[in-house]
């Protein structure tokens, strides 16, 4: 068995550990670390919470708890290049050097141009053998939301909708309750509990009067966002009257109703006014602002016009689709993604199915966008 074949299972284990930080570590990336000596795992750890110790520190502590001499001469498997700078915690590359590990195996390099490669250099300068890009695709998949925010200045966008077998999300009059069962809706609550923001368009906010908070376990308090060019959100809406529970941002245009907006502001709603009159450009401006505040994951729950704008901009990264066992019909019943009508199927965006689950008679599917070079 060659070295790569030996390394891969350990890196896969480190990646699995890293996923435990989802929803808890952002805006930092999820990272996992495994310490191996001989064929024995002597320590493991992941980045557990924002501001807390990084994965390497936790793995070293885990190993030292059983044997303070164990780490020396071991191999560290880390999903992301160890940091070399001082942030909320000390540099992990230095911690590995001080622990006297013999070798470091890295899943992928840090995409931050200010630090990319510096962790590897620090380790190699200290005489430690470094191997990079083991299980790179899985490590990059783990890192994808962080990578997008760091390299593009935009959040990772998760589209979510529930639809009938024939692809409808509501009747012509907007009635949508309920397409799926309570078990599926509980899964939506768990997703809400790990994202930084939940966004809807004005039509959805007005028709459904949603609360958009996560019920049950919450890892984060999500910002609730309404895209409303005229600032028409009702003063008695659940969103406007619950700003003490979670923040609400109204994304609006320069030509919005300023008097009504002032009343919303008095209720605690943040009214964010974009510079552009073009709704698509203004949405892009807000997404940049949202990410600049340190937010990584944004969940978009509709409606079709808002989804259509995001698809047009090719910004939907992940889709969580719930299919209920109903057939609605109707030429004018509402569909998940609206907007301009493409002429050719070649204009469609390509996604990869990553997960599918039956929930009684519902079906839950997760997709991720496939990036295809022009």
């Amino acid at each position: 068995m060659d070295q790569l074949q030996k390394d891969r299972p350990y890196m896969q284990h480190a990646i699995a550990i890293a996923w435990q930080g989802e929803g808890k570590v952002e805006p930092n990336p999820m990272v996992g670390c495994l310490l191996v000596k001989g064929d024995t795992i002597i320590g493991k750890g992941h980045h557990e919470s924002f501001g807390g110790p990084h994965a390497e520190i936790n793995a070293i502590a885990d190993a030292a708890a059983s044997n303070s001499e164990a780490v020396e001469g071991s191999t560290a498997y880390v999903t992301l290049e160890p940091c070399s700078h001082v942030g909320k915690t000390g540099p992990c590359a230095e911690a590995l050097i001080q622990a006297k590990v013999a070798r470091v195996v890295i899943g992928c390099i840090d995409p931050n141009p200010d630090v990319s490669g510096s962790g590897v250099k620090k380790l190699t300068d200290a005489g430690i053998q470094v191997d990079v890009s083991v299980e790179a695709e899985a490590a990059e998949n783990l890192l994808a939301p962080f990578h997008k925010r760091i390299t593009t200045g935009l959040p990772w966008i998760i589209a979510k909708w529930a639809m009938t077998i024939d692809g409808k999300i509501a009747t012509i009059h907007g009635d949508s309750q309920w397409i799926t069962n309570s078990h599926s809706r509980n899964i939506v609550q768990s997703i809400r509990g790990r994202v930084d923001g939940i966004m809807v368009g004005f039509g959805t906010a007005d028709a459904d009067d949603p609360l958009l908070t996560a019920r049950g376990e919450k890892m984060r308090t999500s910002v609730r966002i309404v895209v409303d060019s005229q600032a028409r959100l009702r003063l008695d809406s659940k969103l406007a009257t619950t700003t003490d529970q979670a923040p609400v941002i109204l994304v609006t245009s320069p030509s919005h109703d300023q008097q009504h907006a002032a009343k919303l502001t008095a209720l605690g709603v943040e009214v964010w006014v974009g510079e552009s009159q073009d709704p698509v450009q203004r949405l892009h401006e807000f997404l940049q602002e949202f990410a600049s505040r340190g937010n990584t994951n944004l969940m978009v729950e509709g409606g079709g016009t808002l989804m259509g704008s995001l698809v047009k901009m090719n910004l939907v990264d992940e889709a969580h689709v719930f299919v209920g066992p109903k057939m609605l019909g109707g030429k004018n019943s509402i569909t998940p993604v609206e907007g301009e009508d493409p002429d050719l199927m070649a204009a469609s965006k390509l996604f990869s199915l990553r997960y599918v689950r039956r929930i009684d008679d519902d079906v839950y599917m997760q997709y991720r966008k496939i990036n295809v070079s022009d």
Side-chain angles (χ1 to χ4, degrees):
M1 181 183 294
D2 64 23
Q3 189 59 56
L4 177 60
Q5 289 176 304
K6 292 180 180 179
D7 289 337
R8 289 181 64 187
Y10 293 124
M11 184 60 73
Q12 290 167 359
H13 192 161
I15 290 168
I17 293 170
W19 278 106
Q20 296 176 34
E22 187 176 34
K24 303 172 185 176
V25 303
E26 293 84 354
N28 285 350
M30 294 178 283
V31 182
C33 179
L34 215 64
L35 292 171
V36 178
K37 202 166 189 178
D39 294 323
T40 302
I41 297 172
I42 61 170
K44 55 186 177 181
H46 68 280
H47 187 25
E48 298 177 7
S49 62
F50 177 68
H54 288 184
E56 298 91 326
I57 307 301
N58 285 331
I60 291 169
D62 183 47
S66 57
N67 183 351
S68 61
E69 302 294 325
V71 179
E72 184 174 352
S74 65
T75 295
Y77 292 86
V78 191
T79 60
L80 178 66
E81 176 184 13
C83 60
S84 59
H85 60 286
V86 177
K88 289 185 176 293
T89 62
C92 294
E94 184 61 36
L96 292 170
I97 293 168
Q98 293 299 319
K100 299 181 180 179
V101 301
R103 178 172 174 249
V104 177
V105 181
I106 297 170
C108 59
I109 297 296
D110 194 320
N112 188 336
D114 294 331
V115 298
S116 181
S118 61
V120 170
K121 185 177 186 305
K122 193 175 188 70
L123 291 167
T124 55
D125 286 350
I128 295 174
Q129 179 185 344
V130 178
D131 293 296
V132 181
S133 298
V134 174
E135 288 294 303
E137 183 177 352
E140 289 165 2
N141 177 54
L142 173 73
L143 191 67
F146 173 78
H147 186 280
K148 184 183 180 185
R149 183 176 62 80
I150 288 293
T151 59
T152 70
L154 294 169
W156 182 262
I157 295 178
I158 303 167
K160 170 260 148 185
W161 63 77
M163 67 183 185
T164 60
I165 296 169
D166 54 332
K168 313 295 185 180
I169 63 169
T171 69
I172 188 173
H173 302 295
D175 182 40
S176 62
Q177 295 183 351
W178 296 103
I179 293 173
T180 54
N181 61 45
S182 60
H183 301 297
S184 293
R185 297 198 295 275
N186 286 338
I187 292 173
V188 174
Q189 295 298 323
S190 68
I191 301 169
R192 285 181 177 179
R194 66 169 178 80
V195 298
D196 299 297
I198 302 166
M199 176 183 280
V200 296
F202 169 72
T204 298
D206 192 54
D208 296 349
D209 192 22
L211 191 58
L212 297 182
T213 54
R215 293 180 287 279
E217 182 184 1
K218 287 196 296 185
M219 291 177 275
R220 314 182 77 75
T221 299
S222 304
V223 179
R224 299 170 293 169
I225 304 159
V226 179
V227 179
D228 178 6
S229 62
Q230 299 304 312
R232 296 161 291 177
L233 183 66
R234 297 198 311 269
L235 300 178
D236 63 350
S237 66
K238 291 177 183 175
L239 290 167
T241 57
T242 59
T243 56
D244 59 328
Q245 296 182 27
V248 176
I249 302 175
L250 186 75
V251 179
T252 193
S253 70
S255 58
H256 69 279
D257 184 338
Q258 295 186 22
Q259 289 186 338
H260 190 71
K263 294 176 182 178
L264 288 168
T265 300
L267 290 173
V269 175
E270 177 188 346
V271 178
W272 186 90
V273 183
E275 295 181 1
S276 177
Q277 288 286 1
D278 178 73
V280 174
Q281 179 59 38
R282 187 168 61 248
L283 178 58
H284 194 275
E285 291 172 6
F286 175 75
L287 294 174
Q288 290 176 312
E289 169 67 18
F290 183 74
S292 74
R293 297 183 184 188
N295 296 304
T296 301
N297 294 295
L298 175 63
M299 183 175 175
V300 181
E301 297 200 22
T305 301
L306 176 59
M307 288 290 190
S309 295
L310 292 167
V311 170
K312 180 180 180 180
M313 292 188 286
N314 198 26
L315 291 181
V316 174
D317 302 292
E318 189 172 319
H320 292 242
V321 181
F322 296 82
V323 181
K326 299 178 181 179
M327 194 172 290
L328 184 61
K331 181 175 67 175
N332 296 312
S333 296
I334 302 171
T335 57
V337 182
E338 298 178 1
E340 299 175 0
D341 293 316
D343 293 324
L344 299 172
M345 186 59 68
S348 62
K349 308 299 185 287
L350 188 60
F351 285 73
S352 172
L353 178 64
R354 308 191 69 86
Y355 175 85
V356 62
R357 174 184 170 191
R358 177 175 177 169
I359 307 168
D360 296 328
D361 284 336
D362 289 355
V363 178
Y364 170 37
M365 296 171 287
Q366 290 182 24
Y367 294 86
R368 272 201 177 184
K369 182 175 66 178
I370 297 174
N371 293 308
V372 180
S373 301
D374 295 332

